[in-house]
Amino acid sequence: MQAAIDEARKGRATGGIPIGAVLVHDGEIIGRGHNRRVQMGSAIRHGETDALENAGRLPASVYRDSVMYTTLSPCAMCTGAILLYGIGEVVVGENRTFMGEEALLAERGVRVTVLDDETCVAMMEEFIAAEPDLWNEDIGEE
């Protein structure tokens, strides 16, 4: 999870939203990323999708045996990507500031663990307080 937190901090330091993710296979990080919607002018570059993009094209068996670590509960879009690629486990830093589609992941057989990590909570609380308009844009709210 520390690598995902480091990614989140990198995103915030470059003017973005502090959400980070890493994809781990056999104990090794094979993809890392952070929310880069602001930096790239992207509609879809969330932490999880950035980590997947940076992992590159991989055999289905690698995704199936991988774990996605993410600092924040995955939104519907990121949940869809996790399901599409058959990632079998997701470790979530926190879901207090945003509850994503954890129930759907679990319903579809993905093992979901929520750490309720205070560092992840504090990063998001500070960001939401400082940039509520940007946060609402990221989650599709007015």
Side-chain angles (χ1 to χ4, degrees):
M1 182 55 67
Q2 186 58 53
I5 291 169
D6 293 344
E7 285 293 322
R9 287 182 173 140
K10 188 184 305 182
R12 187 67 181 131
T14 58
I17 299 163
I19 302 168
V22 294
L23 186 64
V24 175
H25 182 260
D26 287 339
E28 180 181 328
I29 295 173
I30 59 173
R32 60 178 64 233
H34 52 272
N35 186 306
R36 295 196 301 161
R37 290 183 65 251
V38 172
Q39 298 92 322
M40 296 181 73
S42 171
I44 62 169
R45 222 42 168 321
H46 283 190
E48 299 90 339
T49 56
D50 195 43
L52 285 167
E53 178 68 19
N54 291 326
R57 293 176 58 199
L58 301 168
S61 61
V62 173
Y63 292 117
R64 202 171 29 254
D65 293 334
S66 293
V67 179
M68 177 70 76
Y69 289 82
T70 179
T71 58
L72 186 65
S73 185
C75 71
M77 177 178 66
C78 294
T79 293
I82 290 164
L83 293 173
L84 176 68
Y85 289 102
I87 296 167
E89 183 175 0
V90 177
V91 179
V92 176
E94 69 102 351
N95 62 7
R96 282 192 247 166
T97 61
F98 178 80
M99 172 59 81
E101 300 296 330
E102 295 168 27
L104 176 59
L105 288 168
E107 178 183 302
R108 296 282 298 273
V110 177
R111 195 170 38 247
V112 178
T113 303
V114 179
L115 301 177
D116 198 29
D117 182 270
E118 289 299 329
T119 299
C120 294
V121 173
M123 277 193 304
M124 286 309 298
E125 286 178 344
E126 290 165 13
F127 170 75
I128 292 167
E131 306 243 20
D133 292 339
L134 184 54
W135 171 240
N136 286 334
E137 175 191 325
D138 196 60
I139 60 172
E141 306 249 334
E142 291 295 322

